[in-house]
Amino acid sequence: MKRWNIAITGFGAIGKAVAQIVAQRQSHYQTRYGADVRVVAVCGSRAGLIDPKGLALDDEAPVTLQPGVTADGFLQNAGADVLIEAGPTDYETGGAGYRYIREALGRGMHAISISKGALVFDYPGLAQLARNNGVQLKISGATSAALPTIDLLQYNLAGCRILEVEGIVTATSNFVLSSMMDGQSFDDAVAEAQRLGMAEPNPRFDVEGWDTACKINILANAGFGANLKLHDIARAGIEQISAADIARWKSEGVVPKLVGRIDNLGDSLRASVELRTYALDHPFAQVSAKMKAIRVRTDIMGEIMAIGVTSPLATAAAALKDFEHLLMASSR
């Protein structure tokens, strides 16, 4: 039975969920892939824990991280085959996540990124580093979690030319817009999203369109082989929407959505984040408050659309879908 050791950086709520799901699925990995899968190292920004035999990580036995077991030397000491990076997004410098992913790929480890920052900062460079070292860089958790976005572009539609991608890929902005159409004020809708754990204490990243822009940036570069920078993407948000806007859209019988778009122009790509309205019979108008959606138009396969509910557990599961793809490839 092949041993697979996992290291998790960014050991917050999502990182802990990843570790717990791995523990729950150990017998599945053994039965289906002949794989002995263990989380052997975890760390946050100031502390971590390493055990070559595997860490016991579950709700009934919370672990105490050790100060200083992080940053330089962490991956060297972890002895892992796979890194799952779940740290905060820093799209200006890539942050600690970028350094961890680069080191992992350079050491011949597969890397699965939930954090968007490193991918926005330098996806092309990281992808090339992975190719140079014969390992995989997987990014489902960073490209709208359970919604099958990057898989559609890289695998499912590989037999055709993708002409256009349009997605409702940020749950917070979709929730706020839906709540405002139901009569809530912007501030009340944001507060409710925060109460539900959908929005951060500072919601600007979501409501100003940055989260959608980051995901569209990654999808353009990973799905189309582009080299777009975040500043190449025209960006709109929802923070300026007024009660008059809501009243007008209701009278017109349309539904507002914040969407990310990629237009394949043949010799170039155009990417944007736009506030668009849709007639009530359009599929995007039916994407409810806690859901995401993607629509892809192709030259041969026509239009493909997927809709899914979002949650922190779905993000963790998306990362482990990527891990399971690694197991599938290894067991062939």
Side-chain angles (χ1 to χ4, degrees):
M1 185 171 293
K2 181 177 178 179
R3 176 78 172 266
W4 287 79
N5 291 336
I6 296 175
I8 302 174
T9 52
F11 198 58
I14 293 177
K16 291 174 182 176
V18 168
Q20 289 162 9
I21 296 172
V22 168
Q24 294 163 8
R25 294 179 68 82
Q26 279 187 325
S27 61
H28 163 76
Y29 297 139
Q30 292 171 1
T31 301
R32 183 161 185 178
Y33 304 108
D36 178 6
V37 179
R38 306 185 191 190
V39 176
V40 296
V42 300
C43 76
S45 60
R46 296 183 177 86
L49 197 61
I50 296 173
D51 186 342
K53 297 179 181 178
L55 299 168
L57 300 166
D58 55 57
D59 289 330
E60 297 179 359
V63 298
T64 300
L65 302 186
Q66 299 174 356
V69 182
T70 185
D72 293 342
F74 174 75
L75 288 182
Q76 180 179 354
N77 296 326
D81 306 292
V82 179
L83 166 70
I84 299 179
E85 159 51 31
T89 285
D90 179 345
Y91 57 82
E92 293 182 341
T93 70
Y98 179 65
R99 296 189 292 275
Y100 280 128
I101 293 172
R102 276 198 65 86
E103 182 181 353
L105 297 174
R107 289 182 175 278
M109 297 168 55
H110 301 293
I112 297 171
S113 183
I114 295 172
S115 172
K116 294 178 287 292
L119 306 178
V120 171
F121 181 66
D122 186 24
Y123 175 83
L126 293 174
Q128 185 61 55
L129 183 60
R131 288 190 292 270
N132 291 347
N133 287 279
V135 292
Q136 294 288 313
L137 172 61
K138 308 289 282 182
I139 61 174
S140 291
T143 52
S144 225
L147 191 68
T149 55
I150 191 61
D151 286 348
L152 274 178
L153 303 186
Q154 290 184 328
Y155 302 106
N156 304 99
L157 299 177
C160 61
R161 181 168 175 260
I162 297 170
L163 305 174
E164 177 184 293
V165 178
E166 185 178 45
I168 301 168
V169 294
T170 299
T172 300
S173 57
N174 193 47
F175 179 88
V176 170
L177 283 172
S178 297
S179 299
M180 292 177 73
M181 289 295 285
D182 288 339
Q184 280 192 302
S185 69
F186 175 82
D187 289 342
D188 287 345
V190 169
E192 178 67 6
Q194 291 170 321
R195 187 186 70 79
L196 294 172
M198 297 176 66
E200 299 292 334
N202 183 349
R204 288 183 55 196
F205 189 68
D206 290 334
V207 300
E208 293 181 2
W210 289 108
D211 180 73
T212 298
C214 285
K215 290 170 181 172
I216 289 298
N217 170 272
I218 299 166
L219 288 173
N221 291 341
F224 292 85
N227 191 17
L228 291 181
K229 303 300 183 185
L230 196 59
H231 60 72
D232 295 326
I233 300 175
R235 176 184 52 84
I238 64 172
E239 71 278 11
Q240 300 300 324
I241 293 174
S242 67
D245 294 323
I246 298 295
R248 184 178 72 258
W249 292 328
K250 286 183 177 180
S251 69
E252 293 172 351
V254 296
V255 177
K257 297 293 180 183
L258 188 69
V259 299
R261 289 180 59 88
I262 302 170
D263 293 289
N264 186 355
L265 306 178
D267 58 351
S268 64
L269 287 184
R270 180 176 62 231
S272 62
V273 179
E274 306 172 9
L275 181 64
R276 299 171 65 89
T277 57
Y278 297 89
L280 295 177
D281 60 353
H282 191 284
F284 271 18
Q286 309 305 316
V287 179
S288 61
K290 296 181 181 180
M291 303 183 79
K292 299 178 184 179
I294 185 170
R295 181 185 66 84
V296 183
R297 185 169 65 88
T298 74
D299 61 344
I300 298 174
M301 295 186 184
E303 289 195 6
I304 307 293
M305 184 168 175
I307 301 174
V309 177
T310 186
S311 74
L313 276 181
T315 302
L320 289 175
K321 174 194 72 175
D322 283 344
F323 175 64
E324 198 141 338
H325 286 168
L326 295 176
L327 294 178
M328 290 177 192
S330 177
S331 63
R332 289 173 186 158

